[in-house]
Amino acid sequence: MTESAVPAAISTQVDLFDDAVVADPYPTYAELRALGPVVRLERAQAWGVPRYESAKAVLADPETFSSVNGLHLNPEGNQWVTANSVLATDGLEHARLRRVLSKELAPRAIKDLAESLRSRADELVAGLADRESFDVVSDLAAPYVTGVIMDLMGLPQVDGSGLMKQIESVFDTFAAPNQRTYAGLPSAQAMFEFLQTVCTRDNVRPDSWLGAAHAAADRGEIAEIECVMTMAAYLTAGMDTTIHAIATAVHHLVADREQWELVRDGKVGYDALFGETLRFDAPIQGFGRRVVRETQIGDVTIPAGDQVWVMFGSSGRDADKWGADADRFDVRRPGTEDHLALGFGAHLCAGNHLALMEFDAIFAALGKHFPELSADPEAPAERVLNNVLRVWEKVPVRTRG
């Protein structure tokens, strides 16, 4: 589509993946939401979908807005990183691949993990009790989540710490082409090679995620190579996102004593904290979709073959949905379970129940062992720029106020 064919009111030269925008995207999101339910992003050669209702409508209609060859705003990512994975399929193919871990990720199965998840979190947090300060990312969230995931995958003896940085770089590949996009492609390859090396039948427990994947291959439900692709998809979607969501929640709670006390004392549930955290600062800021057939968003016609960028981060700050104070973090906010940060419809994150249980375990342990948890005034929190993922480098906190 040529620039002249796009109404000026819904066209912008804003670069969503510019360093300054990535560092603080929310002012830019507000500008885009003011333009309409869909905005032509000329630099990305895609359509941004910044408002809550329009983003939800796109996610609810995979027959029009397909994940196939559409997640990344660059051809290399679509062809080499997520092609044929559970993330990048729709319809019956998506259901076939998602079914591999349907039993393991069902709410009942995750509920059965509650005791072990809490025990693991309590042991980890208790081990920090003699310290005056610690880093939420490297000392708490990363070791906890990677340990849980490696155990569930059936690889408890494998150090998953190296995967964390690789997965962060993989998220860079979802963006329109820039330096970070192409720098992330080798990390994606390294992740696949690592998984191919360790995810063998000899290395995994039969009663694990990988065991279930290999069993599905034995039954002819998936191809052998899809075992690794399945694990790669769930790792990409579920590990770093939870790590950085935990860090985000702690960062905002220690900045507001009243909110920390509400959570610590059980006056606000961990599910409310989880929802508000994801609404306020979605770990994954956006994913692409490919338009299968000509359609309309608002009064704008989107041609078949174009891409849209569903802006999860922007949808969470839409005042039309969340009220005039949408830019304020508030664990008392009602209805935050409606956030879109974990997707919606057929592509709703399959690990959402697990992520909530991890939140429950971590914050129960923090409240028990560190009731006076506070920000460290001498060591501010720091981020790392990532095209799509909201990455914390460190979030230092003090244990005794």
Side-chain angles (χ1 to χ4, degrees):
M1 174 176 286
T2 65
E3 183 172 349
S4 61
V6 180
I10 50 88
S11 176
T12 179
Q13 293 293 327
V14 163
D15 182 359
L16 286 183
F17 310 108
D18 176 77
D19 286 1
V21 176
V22 168
D24 182 15
Y26 295 105
T28 299
Y29 292 166
E31 294 173 6
L32 296 179
R33 288 194 303 272
L35 293 177
V38 63
V39 181
R40 181 67 180 176
L41 304 171
E42 295 296 348
R43 291 177 179 268
Q45 289 298 290
W47 298 86
V49 186
R51 294 183 182 175
Y52 178 87
E53 291 299 338
S54 53
K56 184 177 180 179
V58 168
L59 295 173
D61 185 8
E63 292 185 359
T64 302
F65 302 96
S66 174
S67 296
V68 179
N69 194 34
L71 290 180
H72 306 249
L73 297 183
N74 63 86
E76 293 84 359
N78 284 319
Q79 293 170 12
W80 303 110
V81 180
T82 57
N84 302 313
S85 74
V86 67
L87 298 177
T89 52
D90 290 311
L92 293 176
E93 182 68 359
H94 177 72
R96 178 182 70 85
L97 294 173
R98 188 163 172 137
R99 195 178 301 120
V100 172
L101 294 184
S102 58
K103 179 180 178 182
E104 286 73 16
L105 289 170
R108 175 61 183 271
I110 299 302
K111 186 177 180 179
D112 290 343
L113 294 173
E115 184 176 347
S116 64
L117 291 174
R118 282 207 170 200
S119 176
R120 184 192 291 264
D122 191 76
E123 181 180 357
L124 177 59
V125 174
L128 302 171
D130 61 346
R131 297 170 58 169
E132 292 186 357
S133 64
F134 65 89
D135 174 37
V136 175
V137 179
S138 62
D139 296 325
L140 179 65
Y144 178 72
V145 175
T146 56
V148 167
I149 296 299
M150 288 298 104
D151 191 43
L152 291 173
M153 283 182 62
L155 299 167
Q157 306 305 316
V158 173
D159 180 8
S161 59
L163 279 173
M164 181 177 167
K165 291 300 180 184
Q166 289 178 347
I167 293 171
E168 288 174 7
S169 294
V170 169
F171 275 101
D172 278 320
T173 71
F174 285 84
N178 66 13
Q179 188 276 330
R180 280 189 296 271
T181 306
Y182 291 119
L185 292 172
S187 291
Q189 182 63 35
M191 181 181 71
F192 291 136
E193 291 175 353
F194 171 81
L195 292 175
Q196 287 171 338
T197 300
V198 302
C199 294
T200 63
R201 294 171 181 269
D202 294 337
N203 286 344
V204 305
R205 299 192 321 270
D207 62 336
S208 66
W209 288 3
L210 273 165
H214 286 302
D218 290 341
R219 295 191 298 269
E221 296 169 5
I222 62 173
E224 194 73 29
I225 193 173
E226 289 176 322
C227 293
V228 170
M229 290 297 295
T230 298
M231 288 305 105
Y234 283 109
L235 280 173
T236 301
M239 193 162 84
D240 283 54
T241 52
T242 306
I243 290 168
H244 295 298
I246 290 171
T248 295
V250 174
H251 174 69
H252 290 293
L253 288 175
V254 299
D256 187 332
R257 181 75 184 179
E258 179 185 7
Q259 297 209 49
W260 167 233
E261 291 175 353
L262 288 170
V263 173
R264 180 199 66 191
D265 298 343
K267 296 178 181 178
V268 169
Y270 303 125
D271 55 343
L273 171 63
F274 183 66
E276 178 64 355
T277 299
L278 298 184
R279 176 205 73 83
F280 184 79
D281 200 11
I284 300 172
Q285 290 284 292
F287 269 164
R289 293 289 191 272
R290 180 78 62 181
V291 179
V292 175
R293 56 196 178 198
E294 184 178 289
T295 189
Q296 281 195 300
I297 299 178
D299 59 357
V300 177
T301 299
I302 313 295
D306 277 16
Q307 282 187 276
V308 298
W309 184 249
V310 186
M311 300 169 62
F312 306 136
S314 179
S315 75
R317 300 291 189 95
D318 188 345
D320 287 344
K321 169 65 178 177
W322 306 108
D325 67 343
D327 285 319
R328 183 168 67 90
F329 183 85
D330 187 354
V331 295
R332 294 157 294 196
R333 188 183 305 277
T336 55
E337 68 274 9
D338 292 342
H339 69 81
L340 302 177
L342 298 180
F344 181 78
H347 281 276
L348 176 67
C349 176
N352 61 330
H353 301 291
L354 175 61
L356 176 56
M357 292 299 296
E358 289 172 312
F359 250 67
D360 179 290
I362 283 291
F363 286 96
L366 287 174
K368 172 184 175 182
H369 293 284
F370 301 127
E372 303 303 314
L373 197 68
S374 64
D376 189 336
E378 298 179 1
E382 297 180 10
R383 286 195 183 271
V384 174
L385 297 184
N386 186 284
N387 282 337
V388 172
L389 193 67
R390 294 286 282 166
V391 177
W392 290 102
E393 176 69 14
K394 58 183 181 179
V395 179
V397 293
R398 293 199 172 189
T399 61
R400 297 177 178 86

